[in-house]
Amino acid sequence: MDMLTIISFVGFTIFVAVVSWYATRNTDESSSEGYFLGGRSLGAVTIAGSLLLTNLSAEQIVGLNGQAFTEGILVMAWETLAAIAMIVTAIFLVPKYMSRGVTTIPEFIEYRFDHQTKAIISGLFLTGYVVVIIPSVLYSGSLAFSTMFDLPAVLGISHTASIWLCVWSIGLIGMIYAVFGGLKAVAVSDLINAIGLLIGGILIPVFGLMAIGEGSVMTGISTLYTENPEKFNVVGEVDNSIPFGTIFTGMMLVQMFYWGTNQAILQRVFAARNLKEGQKGMILAALVKFLIPLIVVLPGVIAYHLFQGNLSNPDQAYPTLVRTVLPATFMGFFAAVLFGAVLSSFNSILNSSATLFGFDLYKQYFNKTATEHQIVKASKIFGLVLGLLGMSVAPLIANAPNGLFAWLQEANGCYSIPILTVVIIGFFTKRVPALAAKIGIASGVILYSISQFIVKPYFVDSAMAKAAADGITNAKALSVIQAEAYPHFLHVMAILFVLNIGIMLLVGKMYPMAHDHVVRSNDKVDITPWKHAVVTGILITILVLSTYFIF
């Protein structure tokens, strides 16, 4: 690690911090609206940058490239379908949210059902953040830095010790940034880092292709495709992480949860100065998704070619590629941008967690007479505690058997589908009661947990034992047997989604509310929609899908 790398890393990091401070110096963050929603002052470009960097963090870059290293470009379905979900959210869901003046998703749940349902939803979000999301962000970022800079060799410590060191270093810095800076500081730094990440992220495949093509990008593309045709098949087989059929079942539900009901994402849109800016910001972010597979998928395939598939841990494909092909001149800058991306996701989750706790739990259950200053103070303390818990769990993800990204998506199902079903029923029905929502949440969490952590292991173990008894030793045959032993988790999500919707509608039929739910109006922001939203959304959807159908 030379001095130029260190200077460029520290310099760019300080630059982002100074610009963020300058842009937020006049925001009153002692009030709840100033701290949690940036004073409802964000414009479209800032929203788009913050959305992209909240999503495009190290767990996305490291995890998806790790899957691409193993399986090829079929994993880009996570990105192409995300753009469609963003368009649907911008055109149909964001107007509904903002017309009601909601600050958090659980706040909408309370307004539609009751405060007990809201508390349950808030608890689900916070549990998912501390058990799944925060640890994934910190672990992936730490794995990237440890591998890129070969910290075990530089510091003379074990790989595990370097992961713990990076997790706690990133976590402590991130907590200071998020808890004491508020949403606007996070959003402004996101915008700067998003630009840097797009530039730096595209440089990695460019230099990688040049390494393959001996200085020529086009030769590199030709060689990569010719010598690894199996990596360019987008139709997943039954034993792939994304079998083709799942694209039409649970995949889209996961995307709609993430972009349409996830507090960490929607809080950026809720902070828009008006509906038009919120819609434009999300649609602009969807447009940039057109480029994202170049950053989160292609480098994994390049790494597979350069290293001939010989990496003990596929999740190390991206940072190893960066260390190998990126010139030292750019290393510090890219490390700073990646550091900013990790901080962005971590900060966003902490700020959203603080928002959920302050608005949805603290004043309701802990201090009913709390002032705005007391709410903000309590939320900051809660954010610190949540961050510390996440940092303690993060290094344990190294034990995930199927890779970081696969573990992240499967674990998310415990709370994503129940929340999505409740939000959809809340939007599109008028008499389904709070009892139905509570039953739907409970059935979703319990049934998915039983399915994936009790029933699935039983069937898989039984199938593998039978295969061993039959003398089957072929790796591909065993992989197919294992995959066919139990439905893919995305199929399970789709089945439970339909089941939960049916249960909630049945309860609503048996015990309907006495009166229709009345939609309240919002005078906090201008809710005039962007007149070009639908046309632009259709064009971007066609553009993004083209990247999938080309292959």
Side-chain angles (χ1 to χ4, degrees), residues 281-300:
M282 183 159 266
I283 291 173
L284 176 59
L287 174 61
V288 180
K289 276 286 183 183
F290 178 74
L291 299 173
I292 299 304
L294 295 176
I295 299 174
V296 300
V297 177
L298 183 58

Side-chain angles (χ1 to χ4, degrees), residues 278-348:
Q279 287 183 311
K280 287 195 292 186
M282 183 159 266
I283 291 173
L284 176 59
L287 174 61
V288 180
K289 276 286 183 183
F290 178 74
L291 299 173
I292 299 304
L294 295 176
I295 299 174
V296 300
V297 177
L298 183 58
V301 180
I302 293 172
Y304 176 83
H305 178 89
L306 285 176
F307 309 132
Q308 299 179 339
N310 296 321
L311 286 178
S312 58
N313 181 359
D315 286 334
Q316 290 183 312
Y318 189 78
T320 304
L321 179 67
V322 172
R323 189 178 68 197
T324 303
V325 305
L326 193 65
T329 309
F330 296 101
M331 184 64 79
F333 160 74
F334 186 74
V337 168
L338 189 60
F339 181 68
V342 176
L343 286 186
S344 168
S345 288
F346 184 54
N347 296 345
S348 299

Side-chain angles (χ1 to χ4, degrees), residues 8 69 191 247 255 300 321 343 348 432 437 482:
S8 57
F69 178 89
L191 175 60
I247 292 175
Q255 300 289 5
L321 179 67
L343 286 186
S348 299
V432 173
Q482 182 176 5

Side-chain angles (χ1 to χ4, degrees), residues 179-472:
V179 173
F180 298 106
L183 177 65
K184 191 170 183 181
V186 173
V188 172
S189 63
D190 282 356
L191 175 60
I192 302 169
N193 280 311
I195 297 171
L197 187 61
L198 287 175
I199 296 171
I202 291 174
L203 285 177
I204 302 304
V206 168
F207 282 116
L209 290 170
M210 289 174 65
I212 294 174
E214 298 180 349
S216 170
V217 172
M218 297 308 297
T219 301
I221 293 173
S222 177
T223 302
L224 185 67
Y225 183 79
T226 302
E227 297 187 11
N228 307 279
E230 74 283 359
K231 295 295 181 183
F232 290 87
N233 181 11
V234 298
V235 179
E237 298 180 4
V238 67
D239 58 334
N240 287 131
S241 63
I242 310 176
F244 186 69
T246 61
I247 292 175
F248 307 101
T249 57
M251 170 71 78
M252 201 63 211
L253 295 175
V254 172
Q255 300 289 5
M256 285 307 304
F257 162 77
Y258 185 85
W259 295 103
T261 69
N262 187 351
Q263 178 66 27
I265 289 295
L266 288 175
Q267 190 168 339
R268 276 99 192 98
V269 184
F270 295 160
R273 64 175 67 105
N274 52 48
L275 173 59
K276 184 185 298 183
E277 291 298 306
Q279 287 183 311
K280 287 195 292 186
M282 183 159 266
I283 291 173
L284 176 59
L287 174 61
V288 180
K289 276 286 183 183
F290 178 74
L291 299 173
I292 299 304
L294 295 176
I295 299 174
V296 300
V297 177
L298 183 58
V301 180
I302 293 172
Y304 176 83
H305 178 89
L306 285 176
F307 309 132
Q308 299 179 339
N310 296 321
L311 286 178
S312 58
N313 181 359
D315 286 334
Q316 290 183 312
Y318 189 78
T320 304
L321 179 67
V322 172
R323 189 178 68 197
T324 303
V325 305
L326 193 65
T329 309
F330 296 101
M331 184 64 79
F333 160 74
F334 186 74
V337 168
L338 189 60
F339 181 68
V342 176
L343 286 186
S344 168
S345 288
F346 184 54
N347 296 345
S348 299
I349 296 163
L350 285 188
N351 189 269
S352 297
S353 301
T355 305
L356 288 173
F357 178 77
F359 276 99
D360 300 331
L361 297 178
Y362 180 72
K363 192 166 185 178
Q364 181 77 42
Y365 297 101
F366 296 95
N367 188 353
K368 294 182 181 296
T369 61
T371 63
E372 289 204 344
H373 176 73
Q374 289 175 317
I375 292 174
V376 171
K377 181 179 179 180
S379 298
K380 288 180 177 180
I381 295 172
F382 180 80
L384 288 171
V385 173
L386 201 72
L388 291 172
L389 289 173
M391 289 155 60
S392 300
V393 174
L396 305 179
I397 295 180
N399 300 319
N402 297 317
L404 168 68
F405 199 77
W407 177 85
L408 174 63
Q409 297 302 332
E410 184 165 5
N412 275 340
C414 287
Y415 67 99
S416 61
I417 296 303
I419 292 174
L420 179 62
T421 54
V422 171
V423 170
I424 288 177
I425 289 293
F427 269 140
F428 297 105
T429 66
K430 294 183 178 181
R431 289 206 173 190
V432 173
L435 174 64
K438 295 183 180 73
I439 293 174
I441 294 169
S443 66
V445 173
I446 293 171
L447 292 177
Y448 185 83
S449 299
I450 292 174
S451 167
Q452 299 309 109
F453 305 118
I454 297 177
V455 180
K456 177 183 176 180
Y458 171 78
F459 278 98
V460 170
D461 290 346
S462 298
M464 298 307 288
K466 185 177 184 301
D470 292 341
I472 300 174

Side-chain angles (χ1 to χ4, degrees), residues 497-550:
F497 174 79
V498 174
L499 179 62
N500 275 4
I501 291 288
I503 291 173
M504 292 179 68
L505 291 176
L506 178 62
V507 174
K509 186 74 172 176
M510 296 172 61
Y511 306 101
M513 295 167 57
H515 304 285
D516 286 355
H517 171 70
V518 178
V519 177
R520 70 186 180 189
S521 60
N522 167 41
D523 57 1
K524 294 180 181 179
V525 294
D526 179 9
I527 55 172
T528 303
W530 185 35
K531 63 181 180 180
H532 302 301
V534 175
V535 174
T536 307
I538 292 172
L539 292 175
I540 292 174
T541 300
I542 294 172
L543 179 65
V544 173
L545 282 177
S546 69
T547 64
Y548 188 79
F549 290 115
I550 285 173

